[in-house]
Amino acid sequence: MAIDKTIKKKITEEWLLVFPQLSAFAQNKLYKIVGCCILGIELIKSPFKDNYSPYFVIYPLWKKDVKACLDYPIILKNFKNKKGFEFDIPYERHEVFFSDVIESVKKQTPLLFDRNISLKEILSVLDEYAKTPPLSAAPNSYLQALLQEIKFEIALITGVNEAHNILEEISKRAWDVNHFRVFGVEADQWLQELQKTISNREELLKRIEINKEDKKISKLKSSEIIL
């Protein structure tokens, strides 16, 4: 049975009352712009029943357009209840669970929404995410490399010095070249492209500014990533 839209709308409004720093991008997507990223909470409906689960999300803002930026999250991390399980909240009984959910979300949110965040903080969150399954199962995989690439890009956009340090770390990793090839990528070529990105920093900055002006996200609240 489909859930009444007014119930979903009311649930979104209650989440926004608790997190007024976020804006409703869509009924189940509460976002804000933080520097070169979009951060927020998504209330993802279960495919099997009329329940939802809250997730912390980060998206990039430096892709070719907003649609590409929001195509796939950098981080999609579920919040857990006191027993360590993912929340599974019935829409119809939302009020029964909401105070416990909010208490856990406030404790578990990796980055705060009410202020600027430091480059060190966001890089640390990405490092922690790299240690979680399934990523942790293959520390030198292409999927891990993509996360390192994102760290590099965020650092480059925020401040060049840290980007050089990350690139040096990436270059020293013993990457699983065979796993790269599964995705049709040559590890050496990938590293060369990262090197080139440094000279294209202005292009990244320009793309972010263009995306921020897109009417889909231009009214989102915002703060900065600072050094």
Side-chain angles (χ1 to χ4, degrees):
M1 184 181 75
I3 290 295
D4 191 316
K5 286 182 181 177
T6 56
I7 292 175
K8 288 186 176 181
K9 185 182 177 189
K10 183 171 179 287
I11 288 170
T12 299
E13 287 168 354
E14 289 189 23
W15 276 90
L16 288 172
L17 281 173
V18 178
F19 297 104
Q21 310 86 4
L22 302 179
S23 308
F25 173 79
Q27 199 166 69
N28 65 326
K29 296 178 179 182
L30 316 177
Y31 295 158
K32 75 174 289 191
I33 292 170
V34 182
C36 60
C37 297
I38 289 175
L39 271 63
I41 294 171
E42 291 186 7
L43 311 175
I44 297 177
K45 185 186 181 305
S46 165
F48 309 111
K49 48 192 173 179
D50 289 330
N51 293 15
Y52 76 91
S53 305
Y55 281 74
F56 173 79
V57 291
I58 300 179
Y59 291 90
L61 256 179
W62 58 89
K63 303 296 182 186
K64 65 176 182 176
D65 54 34
V66 169
K67 185 178 184 298
C69 290
L70 295 174
D71 188 42
Y72 194 80
I74 297 167
I75 286 181
L76 179 70
K77 181 178 170 62
N78 61 13
F79 293 102
K80 295 190 167 87
N81 61 26
K82 287 170 183 174
K83 293 181 178 178
F85 298 113
E86 177 179 303
F87 280 105
D88 193 24
I89 308 152
Y91 286 102
E92 298 279 6
R93 299 182 64 219
H94 159 83
E95 285 86 0
V96 177
F97 299 93
F98 192 51
S99 60
D100 282 347
V101 174
I102 291 302
E103 183 187 345
S104 294
V105 167
K106 284 183 173 180
K107 285 178 183 173
Q108 294 171 35
T109 299
L111 295 166
L112 298 176
F113 301 126
D114 60 353
R115 59 173 174 80
N116 294 336
I117 61 172
S118 71
L119 177 60
K120 185 178 178 181
E121 283 176 297
I122 195 163
L123 295 182
S124 175
V125 167
L126 291 167
D127 283 337
E128 285 303 308
Y129 192 63
K131 296 173 187 172
T132 60
L135 285 167
S136 57
N140 294 317
S141 69
Y142 179 60
L143 299 179
Q144 284 279 8
L146 288 178
L147 200 56
Q148 292 301 312
E149 181 177 336
I150 286 163
K151 278 180 60 181
F152 165 72
E153 288 167 326
I154 292 173
L156 179 62
I157 291 160
T158 310
V160 179
N161 287 342
E162 186 61 30
H164 282 292
N165 295 337
I166 292 171
L167 187 56
E168 192 177 340
E169 288 173 15
I170 289 171
S171 301
K172 290 176 180 175
R173 285 273 281 270
W175 295 108
D176 182 350
V177 295
N178 291 324
H179 193 256
F180 275 65
R181 286 175 185 142
V182 169
F183 291 87
V185 178
E186 290 296 328
D188 288 345
Q189 192 176 345
W190 171 73
L191 282 168
Q192 287 170 17
E193 290 298 320
L194 289 189
Q195 294 273 7
K196 286 182 195 171
T197 306
I198 291 177
S199 58
N200 293 333
R201 181 173 184 264
E202 289 304 315
E203 178 60 33
L204 287 179
L205 295 175
K206 196 185 300 180
R207 220 177 293 154
I208 290 163
E209 289 312 309
I210 291 169
N211 285 336
K212 283 181 177 179
E213 289 169 11
D214 188 292
K215 64 181 181 181
K216 296 186 192 76
I217 64 169
S218 60
K219 293 183 180 175
L220 295 180
K221 296 180 178 77
S222 66
S223 57
E224 298 301 326
I225 298 173
I226 55 176
L227 287 170

